[in-house]
Amino acid sequence: YAQEFVEMAHSRLNLRGLWSNFYVTGSDATDVISPIIMFLVSRFTDNPNALFVIFGLISGYFYSRNVWYVLEKTNGKRSIMIILFLVTFILINPIWNINGFRFSLAAQIFLYGTLPYLMEGKKRSLIWSGVSVLAHFTFLFPMGVLGLFVLLRNRLYMYLVFFIVTSFIREISMEWFQSTLSFLPDFIFYEISNYLSEGYAELRDISEQELPWFVTYSEIGIRWVTYLVVITAFIFGRDVLKERSDLRTLLSFSLLFYGFVNILAMIPSGDRFFIIAHTFVVPFFLFFMAAKPAIGINLITNILAIPLLLLFCAVQLRIGMGYFSIITLVGNPFTAILYSDPVPLIDQLKNLL
């Protein structure tokens, strides 16, 4: 982002030229929001710090609104399990993910628009769900699933079967996937084809093999927690699901969406949509525990969930310390523009030991 921003600041690009690049086959400009922000900021400065301050302010707004919405819906209920799930929710798509600004922002915007619709039936908020596509074109997929859910509505047990069946899928043909998506406009199909290429798949496999063991197991752990949440809801919470149509709706969408992500995870980069899936599953269980506090003190749930959630949170914080420095913790948006510390916090801590 920084290099592209500096090049844009020193170019003679105008708004008409920027706009002409959008949605052109072979062009990288399939996302609208990020290039427009970069262009507008580059008219005033070529300092990348200023760009990331704007990125942070925009992401921070949607991030804070989503966290606050979840907090309000727990109705002030607090327990060890609720607090742990809340911290998990905060760390699923943390603020330091602005290093991948487009996808991270799209995920926050999609949640910002979709969660109020599912919980309160606010149809106008779906406009924001659609805006997520402008942040990252791959959010045509979540929007497609959301559109399917709007048509089918609550079919909880059908979605449960779909969720379970897709959990056993271990391989999918790239050729079949490409042929299935051939109906898409050329500029979108061109970008998706890049993700489905053998070269990109090999690079992803290599990068995944190089991940530390604790990162891999933390990702597996949060998925196991998802299955625990679903089992708990259906075994111990059927009375709540009958009484609370909003929770039934949220769980229905979560199962449908997670099922499709199980399929999409078979292609390169498809597994990142687990981030979005978990931002719906975890709030569901938070609201569920607030409605039925006995679930939060269930011995089996605690024994299985707490270690997995603690591992996930610890790993996410460790990853975060590789992206921000001490200045991030003690500074503010104004000092961030003037001064940056390139040494990650984890390296600063290691130097003290």
Side-chain angles (χ1 to χ4, degrees), residues 20 65 75 125 229 232 247 331 347:
S20 66
R65 293 304 89 200
N75 299 319
S125 70
V229 164
T232 302
L247 293 182
D347 291 340

Side-chain angles (χ1 to χ4, degrees), residues 147-219:
L148 180 63
F149 178 78
V150 171
L151 290 175
L152 297 179
R153 300 303 302 166
N154 287 358
R155 299 178 185 272
L156 190 56
Y157 288 96
M158 184 179 79
Y159 299 147
L160 176 63
V161 172
F162 177 64
F163 168 74
I164 294 172
V165 170
T166 57
S167 298
F168 292 97
I169 295 177
R170 290 293 175 265
E171 188 175 351
I172 192 170
S173 168
M174 295 297 105
E175 291 77 13
W176 172 84
F177 208 89
Q178 283 184 312
S179 63
T180 302
L181 299 176
S182 59
F183 70 94
L184 293 170
D186 289 342
F187 67 91
I188 294 178
F189 185 72
Y190 174 83
E191 290 294 326
I192 292 176
S193 297
N194 290 334
Y195 284 106
L196 299 177
S197 66
E198 291 185 7
Y200 184 76
E202 291 176 0
L203 288 174
R204 289 284 301 179
D205 288 340
I206 293 172
S207 63
E208 288 177 2
Q209 291 172 8
E210 293 175 349
L211 286 174
W213 67 268
F214 51 83
V215 174
T216 301
Y217 280 103
S218 72
E219 293 174 353

Side-chain angles (χ1 to χ4, degrees), residues 70-71 74 79-92 221-222 224-230 232 278-289 295-296 301-302 304-310 312-313:
V70 171
L71 275 171
T74 58
S79 67
I80 293 176
M81 285 293 284
I82 286 180
I83 292 172
L84 186 53
F85 268 89
L86 182 61
V87 173
T88 301
F89 173 71
I90 291 171
L91 293 175
I92 290 171
I222 191 66
W224 285 358
V225 170
T226 296
Y227 290 92
L228 178 63
V229 164
V230 173
T232 302
H278 293 143
T279 59
F280 288 97
V281 172
V282 171
F284 162 76
F285 203 56
L286 276 166
F287 306 153
F288 187 74
M289 285 189 291
I295 293 295
T301 304
N302 288 353
L304 295 176
I306 289 178
L308 296 175
L309 293 178
L310 287 175
F312 176 80
C313 293

Side-chain angles (χ1 to χ4, degrees), residues 27 33 56 76-77 108 116 118 128 134 159 163 171 174 207 226 231 241 265 280 284 303 324 333 338 346:
S27 169
I33 293 178
K77 302 288 180 63
Q108 296 291 357
L118 298 173
W128 283 108
L134 300 179
Y159 299 147
F163 168 74
E171 188 175 351
M174 295 297 105
S207 63
T226 296
I231 292 170
L241 294 176
F280 288 97
F284 162 76
I303 291 174
F324 60 79
L338 301 173
I346 188 65

Side-chain angles (χ1 to χ4, degrees), residues 4-15 18 35-47 51:
E4 184 181 351
F5 173 73
V6 172
E7 291 174 357
M8 185 179 288
H10 294 157
S11 71
R12 295 183 179 181
L13 181 69
N14 56 32
L15 192 57
L18 177 70
I36 289 178
I37 294 172
M38 293 173 67
F39 174 78
L40 293 176
V41 177
S42 70
R43 299 308 93 184
F44 298 95
T45 179
D46 62 355
N47 184 354
L51 174 67

Side-chain angles (χ1 to χ4, degrees), residues 53-71:
V53 166
I54 300 301
F55 277 179
L57 289 173
I58 295 172
S59 289
Y61 172 78
F62 291 102
Y63 178 76
S64 63
R65 293 304 89 200
N66 288 333
V67 171
W68 191 254
Y69 184 87
V70 171
L71 275 171

Side-chain angles (χ1 to χ4, degrees), residues 22-41:
F22 291 138
Y23 305 130
V24 176
T25 304
S27 169
D28 292 331
T30 50
D31 309 318
V32 174
I33 293 178
S34 175
I36 289 178
I37 294 172
M38 293 173 67
F39 174 78
L40 293 176
V41 177

